[in-house]
Short mmCIF file of all heavy atoms in Angstrom, two decimals:
data_model
loop_
_atom_site.label_atom_id
_atom_site.label_comp_id
_atom_site.label_asym_id
_atom_site.label_seq_id
_atom_site.Cartn_x
_atom_site.Cartn_y
_atom_site.Cartn_z
N THR A 524 2.89 19.26 17.68
CA THR A 524 4.30 19.43 18.07
C THR A 524 5.32 18.86 17.08
O THR A 524 6.49 19.18 17.15
CB THR A 524 4.55 18.74 19.43
OG1 THR A 524 4.17 17.37 19.31
CG2 THR A 524 3.76 19.39 20.55
N PHE A 525 4.87 17.98 16.17
CA PHE A 525 5.85 17.29 15.31
C PHE A 525 6.62 18.28 14.44
O PHE A 525 6.14 19.39 14.16
CB PHE A 525 5.15 16.24 14.43
CG PHE A 525 4.46 16.82 13.22
CD1 PHE A 525 5.10 16.84 11.98
CD2 PHE A 525 3.19 17.35 13.31
CE1 PHE A 525 4.47 17.38 10.86
CE2 PHE A 525 2.55 17.90 12.20
CZ PHE A 525 3.20 17.91 10.98
N GLU A 526 7.80 17.83 14.06
CA GLU A 526 8.61 18.68 13.17
C GLU A 526 9.04 17.87 11.96
O GLU A 526 9.32 16.68 12.09
CB GLU A 526 9.84 19.18 13.91
CG GLU A 526 9.50 20.32 14.86
CD GLU A 526 10.68 20.75 15.70
OE1 GLU A 526 11.81 20.57 15.22
OE2 GLU A 526 10.44 21.23 16.81
N VAL A 527 9.10 18.51 10.83
CA VAL A 527 9.64 17.86 9.63
C VAL A 527 10.51 18.87 8.90
O VAL A 527 10.35 20.09 9.08
CB VAL A 527 8.54 17.37 8.65
CG1 VAL A 527 7.89 16.09 9.14
CG2 VAL A 527 7.50 18.44 8.41
N GLY A 528 11.37 18.36 8.06
CA GLY A 528 12.23 19.26 7.31
C GLY A 528 11.95 19.14 5.83
O GLY A 528 11.01 19.74 5.30
N ASP A 529 12.73 18.31 5.15
CA ASP A 529 12.62 18.22 3.70
C ASP A 529 11.45 17.31 3.27
O ASP A 529 10.76 16.72 4.10
CB ASP A 529 13.94 17.74 3.11
CG ASP A 529 14.31 16.35 3.65
OD1 ASP A 529 13.54 15.79 4.46
OD2 ASP A 529 15.38 15.84 3.25
N ARG A 530 11.28 17.19 1.97
CA ARG A 530 10.20 16.39 1.40
C ARG A 530 10.23 14.97 1.93
O ARG A 530 9.20 14.40 2.29
CB ARG A 530 10.33 16.41 -0.14
CG ARG A 530 9.47 15.43 -0.92
CD ARG A 530 8.02 15.88 -1.00
NE ARG A 530 7.87 17.15 -1.68
CZ ARG A 530 7.61 17.28 -2.99
NH1 ARG A 530 7.48 16.22 -3.74
NH2 ARG A 530 7.49 18.48 -3.53
N GLN A 531 11.43 14.39 1.96
CA GLN A 531 11.55 13.01 2.40
C GLN A 531 11.02 12.83 3.83
O GLN A 531 10.26 11.92 4.12
CB GLN A 531 13.03 12.57 2.30
CG GLN A 531 13.25 11.07 2.42
CD GLN A 531 12.33 10.26 1.50
OE1 GLN A 531 12.03 10.67 0.36
NE2 GLN A 531 11.83 9.12 1.99
N SER A 532 11.41 13.73 4.71
CA SER A 532 10.97 13.59 6.09
C SER A 532 9.46 13.84 6.20
O SER A 532 8.78 13.24 7.03
CB SER A 532 11.76 14.49 7.04
OG SER A 532 11.42 15.84 6.84
N MET A 533 8.94 14.69 5.33
CA MET A 533 7.47 14.90 5.32
C MET A 533 6.76 13.61 4.92
O MET A 533 5.77 13.22 5.52
CB MET A 533 7.10 15.98 4.29
CG MET A 533 7.38 17.38 4.75
SD MET A 533 6.68 18.53 3.57
CE MET A 533 7.30 20.05 4.24
N LEU A 534 7.31 12.98 3.89
CA LEU A 534 6.65 11.76 3.41
C LEU A 534 6.74 10.64 4.44
O LEU A 534 5.79 9.87 4.62
CB LEU A 534 7.27 11.31 2.07
CG LEU A 534 6.94 12.25 0.90
CD1 LEU A 534 7.75 11.88 -0.34
CD2 LEU A 534 5.44 12.21 0.59
N GLU A 535 7.87 10.57 5.14
CA GLU A 535 8.00 9.55 6.19
C GLU A 535 6.99 9.80 7.31
O GLU A 535 6.40 8.87 7.85
CB GLU A 535 9.43 9.53 6.74
CG GLU A 535 10.37 8.78 5.81
CD GLU A 535 11.83 9.10 6.05
OE1 GLU A 535 12.16 9.63 7.13
OE2 GLU A 535 12.66 8.82 5.14
N LYS A 536 6.80 11.06 7.64
CA LYS A 536 5.82 11.40 8.67
C LYS A 536 4.41 11.10 8.18
O LYS A 536 3.57 10.53 8.91
CB LYS A 536 5.95 12.89 9.02
CG LYS A 536 5.04 13.38 10.12
CD LYS A 536 5.49 12.85 11.46
CE LYS A 536 4.45 13.11 12.55
NZ LYS A 536 4.77 12.37 13.77
N ALA A 537 4.14 11.48 6.93
CA ALA A 537 2.78 11.39 6.38
C ALA A 537 2.20 9.98 6.46
O ALA A 537 1.02 9.81 6.76
CB ALA A 537 2.77 11.88 4.94
N VAL A 538 3.03 8.97 6.21
CA VAL A 538 2.47 7.61 6.15
C VAL A 538 1.95 7.15 7.52
O VAL A 538 1.18 6.18 7.60
CB VAL A 538 3.46 6.56 5.59
CG1 VAL A 538 3.73 6.81 4.13
CG2 VAL A 538 4.76 6.54 6.38
N ASN A 539 2.34 7.82 8.57
CA ASN A 539 1.87 7.41 9.90
C ASN A 539 0.72 8.25 10.44
O ASN A 539 0.27 8.02 11.56
CB ASN A 539 3.03 7.47 10.91
CG ASN A 539 4.12 6.51 10.53
OD1 ASN A 539 3.84 5.35 10.24
ND2 ASN A 539 5.36 6.98 10.50
N VAL A 540 0.29 9.25 9.69
CA VAL A 540 -0.72 10.15 10.26
C VAL A 540 -2.01 10.19 9.43
O VAL A 540 -2.90 10.99 9.71
CB VAL A 540 -0.17 11.59 10.40
CG1 VAL A 540 1.07 11.60 11.27
CG2 VAL A 540 0.10 12.22 9.04
N GLY A 541 -2.12 9.32 8.45
CA GLY A 541 -3.28 9.35 7.56
C GLY A 541 -4.50 8.68 8.19
O GLY A 541 -4.57 8.43 9.39
N ILE A 542 -5.44 8.37 7.33
CA ILE A 542 -6.74 7.83 7.76
C ILE A 542 -6.60 6.57 8.60
O ILE A 542 -7.25 6.39 9.62
CB ILE A 542 -7.58 7.53 6.48
CG1 ILE A 542 -7.87 8.85 5.76
CG2 ILE A 542 -8.86 6.79 6.82
CD1 ILE A 542 -8.32 8.69 4.33
N LEU A 543 -5.71 5.66 8.15
CA LEU A 543 -5.61 4.36 8.82
C LEU A 543 -4.89 4.43 10.17
O LEU A 543 -4.79 3.42 10.87
CB LEU A 543 -4.92 3.35 7.90
CG LEU A 543 -5.68 3.10 6.59
CD1 LEU A 543 -4.91 2.11 5.72
CD2 LEU A 543 -7.09 2.58 6.86
N SER A 544 -4.41 5.62 10.53
CA SER A 544 -3.76 5.71 11.84
C SER A 544 -4.79 5.61 12.97
O SER A 544 -4.43 5.40 14.12
CB SER A 544 -2.94 7.00 11.96
OG SER A 544 -3.77 8.12 11.81
N THR A 545 -6.06 5.75 12.66
CA THR A 545 -7.10 5.48 13.66
C THR A 545 -7.51 4.02 13.51
O THR A 545 -8.03 3.62 12.46
CB THR A 545 -8.34 6.39 13.43
OG1 THR A 545 -7.93 7.74 13.51
CG2 THR A 545 -9.42 6.11 14.46
N GLU A 546 -7.28 3.23 14.55
CA GLU A 546 -7.50 1.79 14.40
C GLU A 546 -8.97 1.38 14.44
O GLU A 546 -9.41 0.57 13.64
CB GLU A 546 -6.72 1.03 15.47
CG GLU A 546 -5.31 0.75 14.98
CD GLU A 546 -4.40 0.28 16.07
OE1 GLU A 546 -4.87 -0.41 16.99
OE2 GLU A 546 -3.20 0.63 16.00
N ASN A 547 -9.72 1.93 15.37
CA ASN A 547 -11.13 1.53 15.50
C ASN A 547 -11.91 2.01 14.27
O ASN A 547 -11.96 3.22 13.99
CB ASN A 547 -11.70 2.14 16.79
CG ASN A 547 -13.16 1.83 16.97
OD1 ASN A 547 -13.98 2.13 16.13
ND2 ASN A 547 -13.47 1.20 18.09
N GLU A 548 -12.55 1.10 13.55
CA GLU A 548 -13.13 1.50 12.26
C GLU A 548 -14.33 2.43 12.39
O GLU A 548 -14.60 3.23 11.50
CB GLU A 548 -13.46 0.29 11.38
CG GLU A 548 -14.56 -0.57 11.88
CD GLU A 548 -15.06 -1.55 10.82
OE1 GLU A 548 -14.54 -1.56 9.70
OE2 GLU A 548 -15.99 -2.31 11.15
N ASP A 549 -15.03 2.37 13.51
CA ASP A 549 -16.18 3.27 13.68
C ASP A 549 -15.71 4.68 14.02
O ASP A 549 -16.23 5.67 13.47
CB ASP A 549 -17.11 2.74 14.77
CG ASP A 549 -17.66 1.37 14.40
OD1 ASP A 549 -17.86 1.14 13.19
OD2 ASP A 549 -17.83 0.53 15.30
N ILE A 550 -14.73 4.75 14.90
CA ILE A 550 -14.17 6.07 15.24
C ILE A 550 -13.54 6.68 13.98
O ILE A 550 -13.74 7.85 13.66
CB ILE A 550 -13.09 5.92 16.35
CG1 ILE A 550 -13.71 5.33 17.63
CG2 ILE A 550 -12.38 7.24 16.61
CD1 ILE A 550 -14.49 6.28 18.49
#
Side-chain angles (χ1 to χ4, degrees):
T524 57
F525 79 96
E526 283 175 28
V527 283
D529 60 1
R530 169 76 61 94
Q531 193 49 37
S532 71
M533 284 188 186
L534 290 171
E535 281 162 18
K536 182 72 190 169
V538 292
N539 297 313
V540 302
I542 296 164
L543 298 178
S544 60
T545 301
E546 273 168 33
N547 178 303
E548 67 166 1
D549 299 326
I550 299 281

